[in-house]
Every structure is written in structure tokens, then in C-alpha cells.
Amino acid sequence: MTERERHPTLAFAAEEVRRYLRLAGLAEESLPGITVELGEPSGEDAYAIEGDAERIAIRGSNPRSALIGAYAYLKEIGFAFWAPGEDYTRIPRLTDRAQLKVPRRESRAAHSFRGMCIEGAESLEQMLAYVDWLPKAGMNICFAQFFRPDIFWERWYSHQNNPLMPPRTLSEEEKEAFDRTLVAEIKKRGLLLHRAGHGWTSRALGYPGNGWQTQAEPREARYRSRIALLKGERRLFGGVPANTNLCYASEDVQQALTDDVVAYAKAHPEVDAVHFWLADTFNNLCECEACRQTTLSDQYVRILNRIDEALTEAGLATRIVFLLYQELLYPPERERIRHPERFILMFAPISRTFETGYPAEVPAGEPPPYRRNAMRLPLDIGENLRYYAAWRQVFAGDAFIYDYHLGRAHYGDPGYLKIAGTLCGDIRRVRGLGFQGLIACQELRVMMPNALPIYAMGRLLWDADTRPEDVAEAYFEGLYGADAPRVRVYFEAVSALCDTDYANANGPRLRPDLTGRYREIARLSRAESETLEDRGDPILRRYGSTLLQNAAYADALAALTAGDEAAATAAYDRYCRIIREREAVYPMDFDVYRAIEVTQRYTGLKETPRTPTNDEPTTERDERV
Ligand SMILES: [Zn+2]
């Protein structure tokens, strides 16, 4: 047996099959032989499964695929993993070993990049529940953003935006231990670990690079001189190192960034792809004489080539992900990536609308000419794609989409069916546009109003030919049983009535044309709530809670669109109370921190001012990617 065949993920996959069969009622001694091994079918991520009363055989093209295959086998015999957590898991009753029969079948992933990137506020347990679910959903990548995902833990454990939960501060030792556990659980499943992203500019200025925390100006002159010169000054942009661009023409800056990436890659062989991004805000590029001679993308590519050269010299094969985003949407004018095989292009259309999806083809036309520090971000997805097409003229390597359906837009769709539809439609366009997959930049706690978007994402990223209608039907029937039709009718009506752009700050706040639509959502939610019986089912209870939340949310938006601020605040207070009280009951389902941040910062809703407690952190700055 070779080292690769003894991979711990194979043993874990076999144990998972045994564990679930026991949970389904089979006694240990009556379990059939279970073999999980590497082998045909070949392909990047592919598996073959078959089983009967005597033997269950699972083969994967790599350890991760064997694990995905193990869960696929369980699904064939009646298990379901609709979303992270036990309440979303369906375990059949197995009474007879004949029920283990599955004729041989093979399956191959349609996309190489199938993953999610952590955003929002999460506890360690919530992150681990998601990591556990990723292979069950057919996904292969976990992007633990930053060098350590401190910011997401800090928001959760301090219970930012939820004063009803007792805050606590994590020690450095706890964060280190959390991180070790998180990485170990990702690796146990053979998932690909992506790390870093923003934060390189922070580290070049002497800060940790684990979030968007506000910091004092650097004291050391060598750090200050690295900051971009903006309006005659070299100062942190808004006080946030992760949002601050550097003077990239400086040899010292280029060397510092290169050295840091190489040292990081060397120290972290467990990281499969290192994301190297610049600052997280736009229109704050250096205005010094040297920087003005060139474009940001040319400077970026020059540094990428330096990193590649240094990694090669160090004998490191680490893949580097580079970002098309804000100013970097413009392709370089002169510089070219010398070794495309080292790099992965990541297209992040952060400013897009979600009311329309990706087109089948990039629309004709050129991006507008670039003007330093006066860029307007493209709203339309077609316009965003024109930049990508221009980059494709100079880079033919691997590429994936990094998109935000569940990063903010979803708060504008309290039925989730519109956002699920856009997401599914977009995934079906991925290959035609020349991408090899999608990583969702998302809050992890996105199961309320329902988990259809994440479930469908996993299904379509594995099999692009799956029909979204079939996925939705299976999801609702599987989770809601006899209540599926009414639940679907309600979510469909709500999604058809809402306007995701309005909630995400696109367009004026006074929109009397939308008022009637939000009133109708409120009316429907109340009517549905009045006739819903509580039968103790945890999923239906969540549905009942969603109805109350949606009624208050729609009341607030109806008042806001009509210009009645007092009524909007009264309804919004109710909404905040509902979601905050519920967070202790369903901590995994809805990201209260982020919902409140988005509804206040973007939608423009205001709470009745309350007296902050001593432990409450000050509001942090907005993040972008
Ligand atoms: Zn400069």
C-alpha cells in the first residue's frame, strides 16, 4: 500500500459510511464490508460507487473524491444532507441489508473550483459544521479568508450587533487553537485550503492582516514610506491597513510583498492556493511620480512575476490566485504574466446587480478609459465581463468566478428563490464564459429563509446539467414533506415581489413604486403565519419564524420606500428584536451581525438609538471582497 492509498481521508470516508449506517439502524456486526480506495475513474474530482448486502465499494480519483463518493453512496440509499447541521440531515430507517443495493455508477465534477469563502460572523463550531457539509454537497474548496479568520470569530464572540447575547473576548492562544482545529478538519476531508487575500498590504505596514480592523498610523518611517501617496499624504486609508494601497513602484514595497508571500508559502505547505490581493477599496492609488507612470495592473503583474520567480527558486509549487476587482479589472498595458501555470485568475464582480444573471457571452464593447482615482465601478454584469474579456487577451490560464450572491444580495430577497435562480443560472454560464468554477464569497449562516441557494450551488457546481427546477423540487419535498407546496408558493411570491437592488443601496431610497410590493410581502407573511400549525418539526418552526421576520422586514421597507421614516424605524426595531432573540435558538441559520450591518449601511434602515454597553465594539469599517 502506498502512502497515498493510506491517506487519512480514505479511512475517514469509510468510517463516515459505517457511522451513518449505524445511525440508520444497522447493527455494527451486520454491516457489510466497506472498501474506500483510490482508482478509476480518472479525472480531477471523480468517484465510482456500488453496493449490496455483502459489500460497499467506493473509489475516488483522489481522497477528497472518495469522501464525496461515500456521501453520494449514502444519498443513493436514502440519506440527504440539505444543509449543514443535524436538522437538515435526513437519515432513512434501514431494516434490511437489501436496502444497501446500489448498482455501479460513476460521476465526475463539472468544475474544478467548487467552494465557499468565509464572510460574516461565525463561531468555530459554525465554521466546522460548514466544513463538514462541503464534501456532502460535492464541494472541494474551503477558503479560510485572511491569514487567520480572526475578524469572523471576533464578530461572533463579541456578538457584534446582538446585545442580547453575552460577549466574550478571544485570547491569542484560543485563536491559534481555533485555527489549528479549522485547518485540521479541512485537511481531514482532503478539501483544498485557500488562504490570505487582503491583508498583504497590512503586513507590509507591520500589522497582522487578519481583518479590516482600524489601526493607528504606523510609527516607523520605513512603514510610513510604503503607503500610497494620496492628496500629498502617506496615511492609512480610513485608518484601515487592509483597505490601504501601497506605493507599488517602490522597490522596497515590491521586495517586501514578494518576501512575505514566499515566506508564507514556505511556512504553510498545507495551503493549496495563496490569494495575493491588494487593498480592499478603490480610488486610493498612489499618486507619486513613479506610480503615475504606469497602471495598477502593470504594477500588480510585475509583483506577481517576482513572486513566481522567488517561489520557483525556493522550489515551491504553491498556486497563486490573483484578483480582477476594482482598478485591477483593467488588464495590464505592458506587463505579462510569464508563467500562467503558477496562477489562477479570480474574477470578482463585486459591484454587479443580482436582478439579472450572467449572459451566455461577453457583450461586445470596450471598458471605459481608466482615470486614476476616479473609477466608477461597473453595475451591470455584462459590463463587468468586458473587463474579464480584456484580461483574457493577456492571460489564458485557470480562472474562476468569485461572486457575492450570498454575501449581501440575499438580504434583499427574503424568499431566496430569486437569488437561488440567479445563482443557478450563473453557474450554468460558468463554463461557456471560460471559467473552471465558482467560489462563493458568502456568509456561512444562510439557511433562513431556506437553504436552497447553498444546496443548489453544490449540486450545480458538481453537475452543470442538473435542472435547477428539479433541485428545488427535491429540496422542498425532502425538507418540508406535505407542506412543500405551500412553502414554495409563499417563497416564490415573496421573491417575485422583492427588489434585491433596492435593499443593496442601488437607486434612490424614496421608491413609492415599490411600496405596494413590500406591503404585499407583509400581508402574505402574516396570512401564512396565521394558518401555520406548530407540529414540533424544527424545519417548519424555522419557517414560522421566517414569516414573522419577513412581515416586520417588509413593513420596514414599505415605509422606507414611501418616505415614512418613523414607521420604518418602528418596524425595523421589531425586525431586529425578532432576529436577535432567535439567534440563540438557531445560531447556525441566520447571520444577525451581517443582516443588521447590511440593512443599516446599505438599505438605510435605522434603529431607535439605544444605550450601548461597555463591551460592545465600535462599528468597524465596511469590507469589500
Ligand atoms: Zn507611488
Side-chain angles (χ1 to χ4, degrees), residues 484-524:
R486 73 180 285 177
V487 169
R488 244 189 122 166
V489 164
Y490 167 76
F491 286 138
E492 266 163 15
V494 168
S495 284
L497 287 162
C498 70
D499 183 310
T500 54
D501 280 348
Y502 181 77
N504 283 283
N506 292 326
R509 297 299 82 190
L510 196 62
R511 285 287 302 276
D513 57 311
L514 294 179
T515 306
R517 284 160 58 177
Y518 286 114
R519 284 209 182 111
E520 180 59 8
I521 293 178
R523 189 194 68 74
L524 282 172

Side-chain angles (χ1 to χ4, degrees), residues 228-229 234 246-250 286-292 299:
L229 180 72
R234 297 190 189 269
L246 307 180
C247 182
Y248 300 112
S250 147
C286 186
E287 295 169 338
C288 83
E289 196 49 43
C291 284
R292 296 184 74 97
Q299 293 180 318

